[in-house]
Structures are given as C-alpha cells and as structure tokens.
Amino acid sequence: MSEVVQVGTPSAAGRPVAVRDTKALVAKSLKRRYAAERRFRLYGVAAIAFAGFCVAVLFVTIFSNGYTAFWQTNIRLDVTLYPQDIDPQGDRSPKALSTANYQKLIKQAFGDLFPDVQNRREKRKLFDMISPGATFVIRDMVLKDPGLIGKRVQISVPLSDDIDQFAKGFIKAETPESERRVKDAQIDWFQRLKDRDLVVTEFNSTFFTAGDSREPELAGILGAIMGSVFTMIVTLAISFPLAVGASIYLEEFAPKNKWTQLIEVNINNLAAVPSIVFGLLGLAVFLNFFNLPRSAPLVGGMVLALMTLPTIIIAARAALKAVPPSIREAALGMGASPVQVVFHHVLPLSMPGILTGTIIGMAQALGETAPLLMIGMVAFIVDIPGSPVDPATVMPVQIYLWSDSPERAFVERTSAAIMVLLCFLIVMNALAVVLRKKFERRW
Amino acid sequence: MDMTNVATEMTDAAPHLPSHGHSQAAGEPKFVTRGVTVHYGEKQALFGIDLDINTNEVTALIGPSGCGKSTYLRCLNRMNDTIPICRVGGSIELDGENILAKEVDVVHLRARVGMVFQKPNPFPKSIYENVCYGPRIHGIASGKDDLDEIVERSLERAGLWKEVKDRLMEPGTGLSGGQQQRLCIARAIAVDPEVILMDEPCSALDPIATAKIEELIDELRENYTIVIVTHSMQQAARVSQRTAFFHLGDLIEHGDTDQIFTKPKNEKTQDYITGRFG
Ligand SMILES: Nc1ncnc2c1ncn2[C@@H]1O[C@H](COP(=O)(O)OP(=O)(O)OP(=O)(O)O)[C@@H](O)[C@H]1O
Ligand SMILES: [Mg+2]
C-alpha cells in the first residue's frame, strides 16, 4: 500500500489540492494505536503482577512466621487429686475448691516422673518446664466436677513457652547453654518425656479462647477480638446514620451557598486529619470532660466514628450525586414529597456506593492503633470484655503489644494475630462485595 | 432499606385526595393562565403568557428550541419549584384556583396534574412497582386487590397490558424505549390525574412507537386534559385540537389547530410551520 500523498487532482475550484491516501494513513496510525494499546496493557499486567507478588510475599512471611502458634506442646500428666490437699475440711465449699493449692498436685505428679531430681535448684528448673496455666486446668476440672476428688485423672497441660519453642525448633540445642533460655538439664528431661511418649502437640485452642497473658502459652486473642467487635459496633452505630444523614441533607436539601461550601471543604479536610489527632480529641473531650471510662470500646468507637465520618460522608455524597436526576424528576412529578423521593428512590439506588464507603471506613477503623493509644486502650487487659464499657484492647493494639514483648513465643503469636486480623478484613471486604451484589440486583 | 415497606408506611401520611369528577364539558377551560413570567436567576425565560387550556382537549405547544415551551409546561404542575434559581410570576388557575399561591400543596397538585418526560424515566424497579407507586404514596388504593386492579387498568389504558402482563415483576428499565414511555404514561394515569403534561414524549422513539403513543394520546383525551410539547408539526396537527406557538419567551399565536396550520394570522407562525426557521 502506498504511503505517498498524491497531489494534483484538481478541485472543483480548479486548484490542485492534496488528496490523501486515507487507507494507508489509517493503517499506519492503526499500527501505532495497537502498539500503544499493547504497551498499556503490558504496564497494567506488570503492575498487577508486582502487587500480587508483594501480597504473596507478605502472606507467606506472616504465615510461615505464625502458623506454629496454632499448635502447642503439651504434656500428659497423671495427677492424683488428694482430698487432703484440695479440701482439708471436706465440706466441698466452692471457696475451698477454688483456692486450694493445685500447684502442689502438679508438682507432685510432675516430680514423680523424675525421682532422680532432688536438689532444690534442679527442682526449680524442672518445674519451670510446666506452664503456670497447668494449675488452672486442674482447678477448672475440679470446680466443674467435685466428684473427681480422690481419683486419679489424666490431663494434658501446656509446657512453658521456652520448652514449646525448643520443641518447635526455634530454640536450638547447638546454641551455647549460656545464650539460650532452655538449659541443658531441661533439654535432657524433655528428651526423657518424649521417650516416654508423654509429650503431645495439640491444637492451641487457648489462643482463640483466652485474653492476654504474661505467659505466651496462656495468651489468647479473644479479648482483643471482643474489644474490636465492640469498638466496631459503636463506630458503625454512630458513624453510619450520622454520615448518611449528613450527606443526604447536604446533597438533597441544603441550599448551595457559602456556608454549605465551607462545610464541604471542612469535611474533606477532616478526612485528611492524622488519626492521632482524633485520639487527642477523644482524650480531651470524652475522657477528661465527659468522664467516660478509660480504655473502653465505647470511647474507642466514638473516636473511630469521628475518624470514619468523613470517609463515609464523601462516599455517600458521591453515590447520591450519581443517581440520575431523571429519577428524582419522575418521583417529584408523581407527587412524591422530597423526603419520599430520597427514601424511596435516591437512597436505595445509592446504597451500594454508600455501603462500599462504609466498609472501607470500617476496615480503616479496624486497623487503627494510634488514636486508641491516646485513650488508654493499650493497657494490659487479661479479662475478656463483656460489654462496650469494660476495659479492652483491640486487635491491632494487641499485635503492637505482642510484637514488643521479648519472649520468642510472642513472635509467632504476633504473626498469628495478624492472620486473624487479616481474616476479619477479608471477611469484611467479602461482605462488602456480597452486599453490593445484593443491592445491585434491584437495579 | 426495603422500599416497599417505606412506601406503604408513608401511605397513611399522604393527604386524602378528593375524587376528581371530570365533570367539565369539553371546551371549558381547565387552566387559565394570565401574565405568566419566569426568571431563571437574572435571565427571563417567559414574558407574560396568557393562555387557556381546555378540558378534554389536547393542546400542543410548538416553537423553536429554547423558546420556553418546557418552562411553561413545568409551571402547570410547579415542577419549576425544584429549580432553586427559578421564579414564577403571574397567575395560573386550575379550575379557578390559583396554583401559584403559597398555601397550595404541590404534592396534591402533582397528583392532579401528572407529567410524562422527554426521556422515558421508569423507576429502576419492577413494572408493577412503577405503576403502583403513585396510588401507594397518595393512599388511593384500598388494598392489594384494589392496587392490582389499578395497575392492570392503567397498563391497559396505556396499551401496554398485553405486552407485559406476564412479566410484571421484571424491571421496568428492561423494556424497549417505546414500552418504557408507555409505562411512564401508565404510571402517570394510575393516580387518575385531571391533566397530563407531556414534554416531547416521542422524541426518543422510533416512528412505530411514536404512532402508538399518538393513538394513545387520542384515546386518553376522552378522560384527560392533555398538554403536549412537540417539535413535530405533523404530530401537533395529528393529535391536538388547539395549538399554541411560542417564540423567544412570548406566546405569538394560539387557536384551533386547524386554523393555526391552515390560516395562521401571524407571519412568524407562518414562517415556523412552513419550516422557514426553527
Ligand atoms: N434550569 C435552567 N436554568 C437556567 N436557564 C434555563 C433552565 N431551563 C431552561 N432555561 C432557559 O430558559 C429558556 C427556555 O428554555 P426551555 O427549556 O423552556 O425551552 P424549550 O422551548 O423547551 O426548548 P426545547 O425545545 O429545546 O426543549 C432557554 O433560554 C433556557 O436556556
Ligand atoms: Mg424543552
């Protein structure tokens, strides 16, 4: 195909004009366009691949660091529940049962396995191998069924976190004894326990059923999960209606003047305020002025609601604006009142967008730490909160606290907690997709 | 949010409409408008329109683009209230009552004066929901059966019943353009208005769909007063009994359609209908 521009065909006016070989030119430009398109697609694929790679690295690192936290090295002990130790009075009163010296029973049972250890210092080392949580296991058993007293029971109790880490291979026998937390003698005893088939690796259910603890093997994430759940409920309950109401008013009813413009600019500014500032505000207003309880999900939720408000408002206004004006006109023309227009037509149509914005805001709030530090949600709290006014911490703060702990066993628990947090985020985002689909099906 | 529930809830709050006996004889004025002016901000769009619209007749508004036909039409059910910068002056009487008065309830007014827009704009809900929306918010139907009947009758009158009776629960937006426009007409007549305003109802439609709508307008004339804006001279000539010609915000000429199209008194009208400008 010729690419030469032919000249010379006379025009109607008699002057020669350039006649283009349009086909060839188009073919040439097409080639360029296709090349540009291919290049663009390539960039896109490369960007996605890079992002996917980063996510994969992140997930693999977290998973490989953390999956071991879901298992716990336990020991099977045969414990004799001597009545004279548990309940010397013999009245089976709950007070006596709950304050009895169960540690003695454990020590007795464990010491019996190693009759050769007599020296006091050696004995101390030996008993260090068992988690202090073992006594609670026995106590709970007895409290549940006092009839067990006087019998011999077999229980599975956690070994201490150091032994657990040794069993999992994170503490190595090759390291010089002075540099590791597990002593040679303990390694020897552990080997003997293994030879006698008393060591079992079990699913670490404690991790999902307990609150925080100084002992890694007794520490769990449930307290933080409940804290996060209560905080999120408060945040959602405050920010969703406020934000949707505000955006409906601003978008559908407010006059467009200087004041509403000022409000709009300030809402956008609010979205850019660093989250720690909201924490300081919460500290000054909610705690110091209104005297609300410190460390409580109620206050945390209120602070995070302030932070989430602008996000939802901006998304909701965009969603409301996207509803075609013809729908409003149709409804108004039918004699619907402005409020009916909004609630029957505009709001349902903008729901997918509003929900997406809300869930993005909530996911942001779920991962927020800084403002919660300011209002005391960073405390060490063992009890699982039962209501929004109980002291609590939240998952990201729990992760922060554990990552700061010196024990090796908290490293894997940190990663495990991150996994749990990520699961929550994935569930929330999946929920966003499902809700959007559900509302979109209504066209 | 469940739209259906909200709709039913709000029904109770809606004012009860008096049943409109369409008692006036054809030819009596339904609307009497005197000196109607409209300003959009600083800009004046209508300069004192005096026009009567007769009961059970079709009145066509014609004129070049931007001359204020839509603006005038939207005055008749106060749709201009929704435009913040718009100010309406003069007097518009519907059955002797000035509808521009402050105390007139626009919700009630719009139940009496329905509107069909240029672009079909069914609600993104089912066909059934589209038609029953008006009766529901105005509390016209007395129960589910009554509502079903209103929906069927309205669709029947809009000439759509046969085509959609098996798919009432399907989205109204899934219909063809012409069907959508007839659905909008069905929606408008479901509240049994006295007047129907139509702003270029056929401009988005093909000739066959247009013919159907025109036929429909002719049938509806028996029970309703109709005001239609159109750009098609043929359409105005075919469907209307009276015609009003607008130009640059002024009403140049109005009268019987036959007279306007055969013996226009004004030169501008003559030029416009013969296609010399517009
Ligand atoms: N919302 C508005 N804001 C400002 N000016 C408007 C608005 N709507 C209409 N106008 C102006 O009012 C005048 C009349 O407009 P109108 O829509 O009534 O014309 P029309 O006769 O319906 O034209 P067309 O045949 O193109 O629909 C035009 O000059 C237009 O620019
Ligand atoms: Mg118009």
Side-chain angles (χ1 to χ4, degrees), chain B residues 10-50:
Chain B
M10 303 232 167
T11 305
D12 304 329
H16 187 71
L17 295 173
S19 61
H20 334 110
H22 306 293
S23 53
Q24 294 107 323
E28 265 177 49
K30 187 84 187 163
F31 274 108
V32 178
T33 67
R34 290 292 174 265
V36 176
T37 58
V38 175
H39 287 81
Y40 289 110
E42 290 301 298
K43 190 170 166 290
Q44 187 161 6
L46 286 182
F47 297 85
I49 308 295
D50 300 336

Side-chain angles (χ1 to χ4, degrees), chain A residues 22 41 49-50 95 134 172 190 216 235 239 307 383 403:
Chain A
T22 322
R41 222 175 295 166
F50 182 70
K95 184 163 186 299
K172 297 207 163 44
F190 181 66
T235 306
S239 62
M307 207 193 76
D383 292 327
S403 72

Side-chain angles (χ1 to χ4, degrees), chain B residues 237 240-243 255-264:
Chain B
S240 74
Q241 283 73 54
R242 314 223 352 129
T243 299
D256 283 347
T257 301
D258 288 341
Q259 174 252 313
I260 294 274
F261 278 92
T262 52
K263 300 185 282 295

Side-chain angles (χ1 to χ4, degrees), chain A residues 76 282 293 345 360:
Chain A
R76 276 205 301 259
H345 301 284
I360 289 174

Side-chain angles (χ1 to χ4, degrees), chain A residues 326 329 332 334-335 344 443, chain B residues 3 74 110 124-125 133 138:
Chain A
S326 63
E329 280 206 319
L332 282 173
M334 290 303 301
H344 297 171
W443 346 286
Chain B
M3 288 180 274
R74 291 162 58 93
R110 286 174 194 155
K125 307 182 186 196
Y133 183 68
H138 293 303

Side-chain angles (χ1 to χ4, degrees), chain B residues 184-204:
Chain B
C184 291
I185 293 174
R187 183 176 67 184
I189 58 185
V191 291
D192 202 19
E194 298 160 44
V195 184
I196 303 174
L197 310 176
M198 299 182 171
D199 194 348
E200 303 181 41
C202 303
S203 63

Side-chain angles (χ1 to χ4, degrees), chain B residues 40 43 45 64-71 83 85 200 231:
Chain B
Y40 289 110
K43 190 170 166 290
S65 184
C67 66
K69 306 180 294 291
S70 301
T71 302
I83 302 170
I85 57 166
E200 303 181 41
H231 272 277

